Amino acid sequence: MAQNQGNTCPTCMGKGVIDGVCETSPEWDGAANKESEGGRICTPDQKCPTCKGSGKVD
């Protein structure tokens, strides 16, 4: 029998947070700013907009 998977938020898979993503490109190498560190740009973790960070939906 399945556990209460119907309540788990499908957007964040029940974590409540959407993990940030990092990308690397040789075009960004040497860029000196906050977002780019040695050619690597990352988006921050975000609170899930679907479940408002709870990990569950009604």
Side-chain angles (χ1 to χ4, degrees), residues 2-33:
Q3 294 176 346
N4 288 332
Q5 290 186 5
N7 291 340
T8 302
C9 179
T11 306
C12 65
M13 303 303 206
K15 295 188 330 182
V17 174
I18 299 174
D19 295 330
V21 178
C22 291
E23 294 184 48
T24 305
S25 172
E27 292 178 10
W28 303 327
D29 196 24
N33 61 33

Side-chain angles (χ1 to χ4, degrees), residues 9 12 14-16 47-48 51-57:
C9 179
C12 65
K15 295 188 330 182
K47 188 164 100 172
C48 180
C51 65
K52 310 267 190 288
S54 70
K56 304 253 184 223
V57 290

